Amino acid sequence: MKFSVVSLVLIIAYIGISFVGLTPAVLIFDQNVRSRIPIVHTGYLKFGKKHGIWTYYDYSMEVSFTISFKENVKDGPSKRFNGKKIRSIGHWKNGKKNSEWKFYTTNGKLEQTLNYKDDKTHGSFAEYYPDGKLKSDGYLQINDGDSLINYYYQNGQLAETKVSKKYQKDGKQETYFKNGKLESLKLYNKGQPIQTESVYTRKAKQLITSLT
């Protein structure tokens, strides 16, 4: 979207008498090319700064997203839409993503949940297959480089488990066959393997070889 002194239009619409310093406002941005970039913003101004929930509309006047502000800083619940379907729901605190965020597919199905702390992933997460079954889960702590990730087959069986500390493999690293039987197991300490890996066959269900 291209802006110019002429194309940028700002309208402060007084819908009623201002109270507690809040003024109802509508911001209108003219654009020549159709896109889903928000061109109409509605909400309240508190002494000239965005305050409370603001709603953003695209060229077809469908809601693109809503964001809560505290004197121009994102703070509070937020929702993003694709047409009438929700694409994401989350929360801002002092201008940064915090707590749980949920992300949806274009069909409106839950695709992923992530927890944030000061704009960085921190805490439990989950990812889903298109049919709604669990694809992966665990926890992530980006600042510390710690993580536990479980991957699942579409039949619900655990496929793999990965553990990291300070961005290095640490502890048990396991893989499984689709029937739930253990395929391999390896132990790590600060990124270094400390135990041989055992591989099991699905058919015999017994140890057939050891790798070093």
Side-chain angles (χ1 to χ4, degrees), residues 18-77:
S18 299
F19 58 94
V20 197
L22 294 179
T23 303
V26 178
L27 309 183
I28 301 177
F29 298 87
D30 184 27
Q31 63 176 28
N32 297 321
V33 181
R34 285 191 171 188
S35 72
R36 297 198 67 81
I37 298 175
I39 61 170
V40 177
H41 310 175
T42 64
Y44 286 89
L45 297 175
K46 183 177 183 180
F47 304 116
K49 297 180 179 181
K50 290 182 178 180
H51 197 82
I53 296 178
W54 275 71
T55 302
Y56 297 75
Y57 299 85
D58 62 16
Y59 73 92
S60 62
M61 290 308 293
E62 287 188 342
V63 177
S64 290
F65 53 89
T66 61
I67 301 179
S68 295
F69 290 89
K70 283 187 178 179
E71 298 184 5
N72 263 6
V73 178
K74 294 175 183 177
D75 197 295

Side-chain angles (χ1 to χ4, degrees), residues 96-148:
K96 297 179 179 180
K97 289 180 180 178
N98 274 276
S99 69
E100 185 181 70
W101 280 67
K102 293 182 178 181
F103 301 91
Y104 297 82
T105 66
T106 54
N107 295 325
K109 293 184 177 181
L110 182 62
E111 183 175 35
Q112 188 180 52
T113 61
L114 287 171
N115 274 274
Y116 289 87
K117 183 178 181 180
D118 294 335
D119 238 13
K120 296 182 179 180
T121 51
H122 185 96
S124 61
F125 79 94
E127 187 179 7
Y128 300 88
Y129 285 108
D131 62 2
K133 292 181 179 178
L134 186 63
K135 184 177 183 180
S136 66
D137 66 2
Y139 72 84
L140 301 170
Q141 294 183 7
I142 297 301
N143 283 343
D144 302 325
D146 296 349
S147 66
L148 166 63

